[in-house]
Amino acid sequence: MRIVVGLGGNALLRRDQALTSDNQAANIEAAADALAPLAEEHALVVVHGNGPQVGLLALQDASMPEVGNFPLDILAAETSGMIGYPVARALRNRLPERKVAGILTQIEVSPDDPAFADPTKPIGPVYDASDAADLMRRFGWRMRPEGEGFRRVVPSPAPLRIVEMDAIRILVDAGVLVLCAGGGGIPVVVDALGHTLGVEAVIDKDASAALVAEELDADALLLLTDVEAVMADFGSERQRPLRSLSPDEADALDLAPGSMRPKVEAAARFVRATSRPAYIGNLRAATAILRGERGTVVRTAGGGA
């Protein structure tokens, strides 16, 4: 099967961990352990997130005002190498017979997307109230509550077109394990002359993974994170995993924008567009999720596995 894997930024750098290179490296090695068995049986395309990492780069950038702030599209491109390189290296070490390649990927968005007026995408670490207030005052960042603290939020426009899709398709058709749309892709708009221009945003990795899967005619979309499954009554004593959902049932779930909502929306989009299944669950159980033994599957009535 041809499978597009969406690898969450929080799976590569867990919520309770310090934003260090050593922690990221250890988690990437664990991710490669989970993905390598899939790659031995299936044609994989990997799209990774960058929420914690792009926020870290933005924070480092803000601490050096003498050099000026780099825009988010440039920081997104940086995270494509920051994460994509060690992921590709780890997979190549486990799959010496496979060709592995990463593509720096621009993704077109609309300049009129309402997301630019309503930032919802959380990036970077969780701050306490005092630090959050200080960052808002100093840099004009938008903050929203997350757990007992606050995280920076930025615009997350919908992906419309993958600029490098022809090149990605050539590599995939040739049997290459491709990493693309890293960090959700580099957000660009197209001007009246047809030129691409970077914009201040971070595209949601799950939405980009769904678009990649549609464009590549994938057999399945596999969205991997650091939680077991989509949960009903999340955070309450009645919390329980939802093992199977239709797209309509997925749409009806009451989920916060910074939680499982992007994954559920991306899964429902892919299923509606292709009538093929999408899976959501914990990275460490990737093989079992694809077999339907763990996680959540979103499929049409009677849809195939």
Side-chain angles (χ1 to χ4, degrees):
M1 292 198 301
R2 178 175 292 181
I3 302 169
V4 172
V5 176
L7 195 57
N10 286 322
L12 298 175
L13 197 60
R14 297 195 301 271
R15 303 164 204 267
D16 59 345
Q17 290 185 311
L19 299 173
T20 67
S21 176
D22 287 345
N23 283 338
Q24 177 177 283
N27 288 328
I28 284 175
E29 292 295 321
D33 285 339
L35 293 180
L38 289 179
E40 290 174 345
E41 297 184 27
H42 307 287
L44 290 194
V45 177
V46 178
V47 176
H48 64 75
N50 70 349
Q53 295 84 358
V54 74
L56 172 64
L57 292 181
L59 190 61
Q60 292 174 336
D61 185 46
S63 70
M64 301 178 65
E66 66 275 10
V67 301
N69 291 338
F70 281 84
L72 284 173
D73 61 307
I74 297 296
L75 299 185
E78 287 188 47
T79 63
S80 292
M82 177 184 185
I83 304 168
Y85 150 63
V87 171
R89 182 186 64 193
L91 287 171
R92 189 176 291 111
N93 287 341
R94 287 159 176 79
L95 303 162
E97 302 303 317
R98 291 291 300 276
K99 294 181 174 63
V100 181
I103 295 186
L104 201 63
T105 312
Q106 300 172 85
I107 297 187
E108 183 183 351
V109 302
S110 169
D112 300 320
D113 193 303
F116 286 107
D118 182 26
T120 60
K121 175 69 173 175
I123 65 170
V126 177
Y127 303 100
D128 62 27
S130 175
D131 287 341
D134 179 59
L135 291 166
M136 292 172 68
R137 177 184 57 80
R138 290 167 58 199
F139 305 121
W141 291 357
R142 298 277 292 273
M143 296 279 181
R144 287 193 178 179
E146 179 162 318
E148 297 181 356
F150 297 84
R151 279 183 87 184
R152 182 187 177 188
V153 289
V154 299
S156 183
L160 300 179
R161 182 178 68 93
I162 301 164
V163 175
E164 288 81 11
M165 179 48 70
D166 287 345
I168 293 168
R169 189 176 290 109
I170 289 169
L171 289 172
V172 172
D173 288 344
V176 178
L177 195 166
V178 174
L179 283 72
C180 64
I186 302 164
V188 298
V189 296
V190 178
D191 67 13
L193 298 176
H195 298 160
T196 57
L197 306 170
V199 292
E200 277 284 287
V202 173
I203 303 173
D204 180 73
K205 168 267 308 172
D206 299 307
S208 294
L211 182 58
V212 170
E214 290 175 40
E215 292 291 327
L216 288 176
D217 195 28
D219 296 293
L221 174 64
L222 181 58
L223 301 175
L224 300 173
T225 183
D226 59 348
V227 297
E228 177 187 356
V230 180
M231 296 289 182
D233 302 316
F234 180 73
S236 74
E237 295 180 355
R238 301 185 305 278
Q239 176 176 304
R240 66 191 187 282
L242 297 170
R243 296 302 182 192
S244 182
L245 295 167
S246 70
D248 288 345
E249 289 170 336
D251 289 343
L253 295 175
D254 183 16
L255 300 170
S259 64
M260 275 288 191
R261 184 192 289 182
K263 291 176 176 55
V264 169
E265 290 178 344
R269 167 185 170 162
F270 173 74
V271 174
R272 284 197 176 98
T274 66
S275 297
R276 294 171 180 171
Y279 302 85
I280 302 171
N282 193 295
L283 167 65
R284 272 66 177 177
T287 302
I289 292 167
L290 195 62
R291 292 197 299 258
E293 298 169 359
R294 300 280 295 276
T296 299
V297 58
V298 181
R299 55 159 55 106
T300 58

